[in-house]
Amino acid sequence: MSDTYVECLVQTKPSALKKLLKILLIVLTVFFAIIMFVIPLAFIPAVVLGVGAYFANMFSDIEYEYLYLDKEIVIDKVMAKSKRKRVATYSLDRIEVLAPIKSYHLDNFGKRENAKVKDYSIGEELQPDRRFVMYYEGGEKILLSPSEEMIKVMRNVAPRKVFKD
């Protein structure tokens, strides 16, 4: 049996609020660290703000890694290029449809109001929009930004479920 392996790494775009919070926490940490030499009690807010800046950096720099191996898609979340967490595993057999976000193939599925939306894509609409929507068994709507190679491999395995338009 031949196993096909495809890997794709997607960098998400952080929101302006996350960027602003990260910069604000760093500036306040430096400010309290300087004041710490004059007022020793400034050590406490400097440490608290430093920890907050660390976590703000972790959650503002997020990448998603898609792995396709033997009819299974594994999605990992990579935070600040240092911490990895597995967020989901999807079987290609249980996918209802996978198509570009503005595809006519999704017209029948768009009427599902109770579908849980999970966004593992780049987080913004580019021109042309390369995001895909995957409806998964059980009422999940998953947004992805896979590479052309990954779409090609999945289309070879499930040609009636995966569309490129």
Side-chain angles (χ1 to χ4, degrees):
M1 182 173 165
S2 75
D3 293 333
T4 306
Y5 176 81
V6 180
E7 185 176 323
C8 178
L9 191 64
V10 175
Q11 174 74 39
T12 62
K13 182 179 182 191
S15 67
L17 182 64
K18 288 181 182 179
K19 286 182 184 179
L20 182 67
L21 179 65
K22 182 171 91 171
I23 291 169
L24 179 67
L25 287 173
I26 291 171
V27 168
L28 287 174
T29 302
V30 171
F31 174 72
F32 279 105
I34 292 171
I35 289 181
M36 183 175 61
F37 294 111
V38 178
I39 304 170
L41 287 177
F43 173 74
I44 295 169
V47 170
V48 170
L49 289 168
V51 170
Y54 171 76
F55 283 111
N57 182 46
M58 290 286 285
F59 290 109
S60 66
D61 185 15
I62 295 177
E63 296 175 332
Y64 289 107
E65 182 179 50
Y66 311 138
L67 300 171
Y68 175 82
L69 178 64
D70 194 31
K71 294 186 179 183
E72 193 171 80
I73 303 167
V74 177
I75 301 174
D76 291 341
K77 183 179 188 179
V78 181
M79 295 180 282
K81 295 179 180 60
S82 62
K83 187 176 179 184
R84 175 184 302 268
K85 180 181 178 183
R86 174 146 308 155
V87 289
T89 303
Y90 299 105
S91 173
L92 204 61
D93 296 330
R94 296 175 58 193
I95 290 175
E96 294 178 17
V97 68
L98 175 71
I101 198 163
K102 295 183 180 176
S103 173
Y104 68 91
H105 294 286
L106 300 173
D107 289 345
N108 294 335
F109 296 95
K111 297 177 178 88
R112 295 184 182 179
E113 297 170 3
N114 58 352
K116 291 191 290 187
V117 178
K118 296 181 180 178
D119 191 358
Y120 305 125
S121 68
I122 58 174
E124 65 179 331
E125 183 177 340
L126 300 176
Q127 295 300 328
D129 198 356
R130 300 296 310 151
R131 295 178 298 162
F132 280 72
V133 173
M134 177 172 70
Y135 280 95
Y136 195 70
E137 181 180 86
E140 289 181 271
K141 177 182 177 181
I142 298 114
L143 299 174
L144 302 170
S145 298
S147 64
E148 288 291 327
E149 181 183 6
M150 184 173 280
I151 294 295
K152 180 180 172 187
V153 168
M154 288 191 293
R155 185 159 169 75
N156 287 340
V157 174
R160 293 186 178 155
K161 296 179 180 180
V162 180
F163 302 98
K164 289 198 289 189
D165 282 356

